[in-house]
Amino acid sequence: MSLQVKLVLLFLFLEDFIFGVFLFLVRRGTLVQQSTVWTGLLLSAVGVGLAAWLARGLVQPLRSLVGAARKIAQGDLDVRLQVTTKDEVGLLADAFNRMAASLKATVEALNRKVRESQTLYEISREVNGQVAYEPTLDLIAEQAQHLLGADAGLVALRQGETDVFTTQAVSGHIADSFAGTHFTLNGSLGERVLSFGTPAAADGDAGRTHPHPEAALPSVLGVPLRVHDRVIGVLYAASREPDKFDVDAERLLAALGDQAAIAIETARLHDDVKAYARELEAMVALRTRELKDLNDQLTEASQHKSQFLANMSHELRTPLNAILGYTELILDDIYGAVPDKIRDVLGRMQLSGRHLLRLINDVLDLSKIEAGRASLSLGDYSMRAVVQTVFTAVESLAKEKKIALTVSLPNDLPPGRGDERRITQVLLNLVGNAIKFTETGEVRIEASARDAEFQVTVADSGPGIAEADRQRVFEEFQQVDNTSTRNKGGAGLGLAIAKRIVEWHGGRIWVTSRLGEGSTFGFTLPIRVETAGAA
Amino acid sequence: MGGRILVTEDNEDNRRTMHDLLVSAGYEVYEALTGAEGVSMAGAQRPDLILMDIQLPVFDGYEATRRIKADPALRGIPIIAVTSYALGGDEVKAREAGCDGYVAKPFSPRQLLAKVREYLP
C-alpha cells in the first residue's frame, strides 16, 4: 500500500475522529462558545480539502487506466499511459503499457498472417485461373516479388530431366538480363533447393561470371517448384536489401511455390494438349490435302484412262470399218463372183468383225459415260414404242431359235420422259441376252407403271444364274463363265452399260434367278426424268 | 441410174471402199483428200452429189460444206455428211453447216448406197 493511500486513510480516520469529538462536545454543551464552533468547522473544512487533494492523486491515474482499457477494447492498440510516478499506480500503468504493446504486436502478426493467407489465396486463384503457359509464369514471378516486398521475382524451369535451368519469367529489377538465360544450379542455393527440396536463402554474389539469378541482387531466396515430388524449377525472390528474407518470407514463398508449381503444370498440360491438338489439326489438314491431291490425281488418271479408251476405240474402229467394208463389198460380188467356199469363210470373217466392232463400241460407250462425256438426251417417249422397237429388232432372232417371245403391256402406260435411245439400248441388251442364253422355252417382256416408276422385266427360261454370279453380272467384263454361256459372244459390257444408264436415269436394275429355271432381269425408271443422276 | 459423186475423205480405205461401191453401182466418182481440195474440186467438177467426211485436214467437212453452200453456183449440189462421231449433236451440226443428209460411221456399204440412192436414184 502506497504512502499516499495510507495518508488518505489516516486522514479520513482523523477527520471522523475530530468531527466526532466536536459533536460530542456540542451535545454536552461544552462547546457553546461561538469561536469554538467556528474552529471546529474550520478544522473539518481543512480536513475535507486535504482529503480531496490526496484523492486527486490516486483517482486520476485510475480514471486514465479505465479510459485506456476502454480504448483498447475499442481496438486502439496505440493507446499508452503517461507514467510519471514510481509508486504502485506507476507500476500498474507500466504493466498496462507493456500489455498493450504486446497485444498490438500479436494482433499485427495475426493481421499479417491473415493478409498473407488472403493474398496467397487470391494469387493461387488468379494463377490457377490462368491457363495459358507464359502468362502464368509471368504472373507467378510478379506475385513472388510483390508478396515478399522484394525487388524482383523470377521463375526458372528445368529443361526436361537435365540440370539446365532456364529463366522463364522475370518481374522487377533484373528483368532483361535474365530473361531466357540458361544456367546450372551447381553450387548455388538453387542446388540446395533442388537437393533438399526445401527453401534456401543466400547472399547474392554479384561477382559471378556466369549469368545466374543469385548474381542478381544482394539477397536472394529460392523455393522449389514441385510436382509430384519432382522439382520442375525454382521460384526466386531477390532484394537489394541484405538479409531481407526471414523465416516468414521463406514460408510465404514456399506456399506460393506450391501453388505456382501446380499452376505451371496445369498450364503446361493445357499448352501440351493445345499444341497436340494443333499438331493433330495440322496432320489432319495435311492428310486431307494429300488425300485430295491423290483423289484429284486419281480422278484425272481415271479421266485419262477413259479418254484413252475413247480415243483407242475410235482408232480401232477405223481399220475395222475398212475390213468390214471390203468384206461386204466382196460378198456383194462387187469385185466379181465369189465361190461358195470363200463366201462361207468371208461370212465368218464378217461375223467376227461385227462382233469385234460391237465390243469396241461398248468399250467406247462405257468409257464415254465414265469420262463424263456422254449426256442424257432427255425427251418424251412412249414405253410401249420402246418395247415395240426392241420386239421388232429381236423378233427374227427369237423365231430362228424357236423361242416364244411374248410381250405384256397395260394399255394405259403414261408417257415417259428420259433418253429414249439409251432406254431402248438397255431393254435391247436384256432381251438380246435372254434370247442368246435361252435354248428352249420363252422370253417374256413385261412393263408396268406404278408409284411414278416404270418397271420393266425380261424373264427367260434359260439356264439361270448361280447366286454367286448374280452379284457380278452387272460388273464390267464379268460374263458368267460356264459351258452354257461360253461361245455366246459378248464381252460382258452390255449389263454394265445398262446398269449405268438405268442409274443415270435415277432407276435401279436387278436380277432374280434359279439355276435351271431361268432368270428375270428387271429395272425401274422414274416415269418423268427431268435431271440426270450420277453416271 | 448414174451420176457424178465427189468423195471427200482422207482415209484411203474409206475412200477406196466408197469408190469401189459407187463405181460398181454405176456412179462416176471423184476423190478429194482434204476440205480445201473438196471445195476446189466441187467448183471444178460440179458433181451431182458430195459425200463429205467431217474430220479432214486443212479445214474440216463443216467448213468445206459452208464454203460450197456459200457459192451460188454450187449451192444446189446435195452434200451428205459422213461423220465418225456417232454422237447426238453431230447431225444437228452437219445440218447447220448446210449438209443435206447425214450418215454416221461406221456404216455398211449397203447403208451408204441406200442413202446415196435417195439423191441419185
Side-chain angles (χ1 to χ4, degrees):
Chain A
M1 201 177 281
S2 76
L3 178 65
Q4 218 171 7
V5 173
K6 282 174 190 163
L7 275 172
V8 168
L9 290 175
L10 177 64
F11 172 77
L12 288 174
F13 173 73
L14 279 174
E15 195 176 53
D16 274 1
F17 178 73
I18 292 165
F19 197 65
V21 169
F22 174 69
L23 283 179
F24 176 75
L25 290 174
V26 169
R27 273 188 205 132
R28 287 278 301 272
T30 315
L31 289 171
V32 289
Q33 282 180 335
Q34 199 82 10
S35 60
T36 315
V37 173
W38 284 111
T39 308
L41 283 174
L42 184 69
L43 263 174
S44 282
V46 169
V48 169
L50 187 68
W53 177 80
L54 281 170
R56 235 185 102 241
L58 182 67
V59 172
Q60 198 57 42
L62 286 176
R63 272 205 192 121
S64 310
L65 197 60
V66 170
R70 277 207 188 105
K71 279 190 177 171
I72 285 175
Q74 285 161 6
D76 180 3
L77 297 178
D78 289 323
V79 91
R80 294 290 180 274
L81 294 169
Q82 294 298 315
V83 187
T84 49
T85 57
K86 300 267 182 219
D87 58 8
E88 282 83 351
V89 175
L91 289 173
L92 186 61
D94 189 44
F96 180 88
N97 281 347
R98 265 178 299 170
M99 179 204 74
S102 150
L103 195 58
K104 187 187 178 192
T106 309
V107 168
E108 275 178 351
L110 269 176
N111 279 344
R112 202 174 59 239
K113 288 217 164 116
V114 169
R115 270 202 308 278
E116 284 171 8
S117 302
Q118 254 173 1
T119 313
L120 260 180
Y121 171 71
E122 277 161 21
I123 288 171
S124 62
R125 217 172 49 164
E126 202 176 343
V127 164
N128 284 312
Q130 183 65 256
V131 285
Y133 189 55
E134 280 172 12
T136 299
L137 299 179
D138 289 341
L139 188 63
I140 290 165
E142 207 174 291
Q143 298 291 11
Q145 182 194 354
H146 292 150
L147 187 65
L148 271 72
D151 292 309
L154 188 148
V155 178
L157 293 184
R158 199 175 188 173
Q159 301 301 294
E161 295 299 318
T162 66
D163 286 337
V164 180
F165 282 66
T166 311
T167 307
Q168 299 279 355
V170 178
S171 148
H173 179 68
I174 48 171
D176 294 337
S177 53
F178 280 99
T181 301
H182 298 274
F183 57 87
T184 56
L185 295 176
N186 293 341
S188 69
L189 80 87
E191 188 178 38
R192 274 175 283 151
V193 167
L194 201 59
S195 310
F196 303 111
T198 52
D203 292 334
D205 177 7
R208 271 180 180 276
T209 46
H210 298 296
H212 199 280
E214 285 166 50
L217 291 167
S219 146
V220 178
L221 178 64
V223 296
L225 294 169
R226 224 178 343 217
V227 176
H228 305 308
D229 292 332
R230 194 169 60 83
V231 176
I232 60 162
V234 182
L235 175 61
Y236 291 98
S239 176
R240 286 188 199 86
E241 196 182 312
D243 300 322
K244 163 78 173 172
F245 305 115
D246 57 7
V247 178
D248 278 347
E250 267 187 27
R251 190 180 44 72
L252 209 52
L253 193 63
L256 176 60
D258 289 345
Q259 292 294 326
I262 295 166
I264 289 169
E265 194 63 6
T266 307
R268 179 138 69 187
L269 286 174
H270 185 264
D271 265 29
D272 282 355
V273 168
K274 260 170 57 178
Y276 189 56
R278 270 197 302 274
E279 213 173 292
L280 274 179
E281 272 172 32
M283 264 168 63
V284 167
L286 183 70
R287 292 295 296 154
T288 307
R289 213 164 40 241
E290 282 173 2
L291 282 175
K292 195 188 163 294
D293 288 351
L294 193 63
N295 190 47
D296 288 350
Q297 283 170 17
L298 285 175
T299 306
E300 204 179 320
S302 174
Q303 272 166 1
H304 280 156
K305 182 208 75 178
S306 300
Q307 185 62 52
F308 169 78
L309 282 176
N311 292 344
M312 190 69 183
S313 305
H314 175 66
E315 295 304 319
L316 290 174
R317 279 202 311 185
T318 306
L320 185 57
N321 280 329
I323 292 170
L324 287 172
Y326 287 127
T327 310
E328 193 173 325
L329 290 181
I330 295 168
L331 284 170
D332 280 357
D333 296 326
I334 297 247
Y335 302 109
V338 178
D340 284 348
K341 225 173 172 180
I342 296 177
R343 184 177 296 280
D344 181 53
V345 174
L346 280 175
R348 295 189 75 85
M349 273 173 63
Q350 195 176 39
L351 280 176
S352 285
R354 282 180 182 161
H355 183 199
L356 182 56
L357 185 61
R358 266 201 311 280
L359 293 182
I360 292 170
N361 284 342
D362 280 355
V363 170
L364 178 67
D365 209 14
L366 195 62
S367 58
K368 267 197 287 207
I369 291 173
E370 287 193 338
R373 284 179 54 220
S375 57
L376 283 184
S377 171
L378 297 177
D380 289 339
Y381 69 94
S382 154
M383 183 56 87
R384 174 173 290 275
V386 168
V387 173
Q388 192 56 54
T389 302
V390 171
F391 184 87
T392 308
V394 299
E395 200 181 5
S396 59
L397 192 62
K399 230 173 235 169
E400 255 175 51
K401 293 187 77 174
K402 298 189 167 57
I403 293 166
L405 184 61
T406 59
V407 171
S408 167
L409 283 174
N411 285 322
D412 56 350
L413 278 181
R417 184 171 174 78
D419 189 330
E420 184 174 3
R421 191 174 67 84
R422 295 279 188 189
I423 294 167
T424 305
Q425 186 183 348
V426 172
L427 188 58
L428 188 61
N429 179 265
L430 297 186
V431 177
N433 282 345
I435 295 172
K436 188 158 70 179
F437 293 113
T438 303
E439 296 307 326
T440 55
E442 65 162 2
V443 171
R444 183 175 184 78
I445 307 169
E446 287 184 39
S448 61
R450 191 174 45 202
D451 300 333
E453 273 186 346
F454 284 127
Q455 179 168 320
V456 183
T457 56
V458 178
D460 65 53
S461 56
I465 303 166
E467 194 179 344
D469 295 324
R470 267 174 243 155
Q471 308 302 318
R472 299 191 295 124
V473 293
F474 296 107
E475 293 167 23
E476 298 93 332
F477 302 106
Q478 290 291 346
Q479 199 174 66
V480 175
D481 186 28
N482 60 40
T483 44
S484 67
T485 61
R486 211 166 285 147
N487 303 321
K488 297 288 182 189
L493 282 175
L495 283 175
I497 293 170
K499 181 171 189 279
R500 275 169 177 75
I501 292 170
V502 167
E503 287 173 357
W504 211 353
H505 278 83
R508 61 204 167 76
I509 192 167
W510 68 90
V511 60
T512 56
S513 182
R514 285 176 80 91
L515 269 180
E517 291 178 27
S519 310
T520 301
F521 281 81
F523 65 92
T524 61
L525 289 177
I527 292 172
R528 309 293 298 179
V529 177
E530 303 298 345
T531 53
Chain B
M1 219 208 259
R4 300 161 68 242
I5 300 174
L6 172 63
V7 173
T8 308
E9 165 69 66
D10 63 324
N11 180 285
E12 193 187 343
D13 285 316
N14 286 346
R15 218 166 47 238
R16 172 92 192 266
T17 48
M18 279 195 262
H19 172 271
D20 293 352
L21 173 76
L22 295 172
V23 166
S24 77
Y27 296 105
E28 198 175 326
V29 176
Y30 303 92
E31 296 175 20
L33 277 63
T34 69
E37 204 183 332
V39 174
S40 66
M41 282 190 71
Q45 301 295 334
R46 306 283 172 103
D48 301 315
L49 179 71
I50 300 172
L51 292 178
M52 183 70 78
D53 184 30
I54 293 305
Q55 275 191 304
L56 287 171
V58 186
F59 49 78
D60 67 15
Y62 296 132
E63 180 59 27
T65 302
R66 271 190 290 272
R67 293 191 186 199
I68 292 166
K69 291 294 182 181
D71 186 338
L74 307 176
R75 188 173 294 159
I77 304 171
I79 301 178
I80 296 172
V82 183
T83 172
S84 46
Y85 292 116
L87 283 175
D90 281 356
E91 191 172 355
V92 176
K93 274 168 89 178
R95 296 245 182 246
E96 279 170 0
C99 294
D100 301 85
Y102 175 91
V103 172
K105 283 186 198 169
F107 55 84
S108 76
R110 252 166 272 168
Q111 279 175 328
L112 182 69
L113 195 56
K115 195 78 186 171
V116 167
R117 282 183 174 142
E118 285 180 23
Y119 296 89
L120 300 175

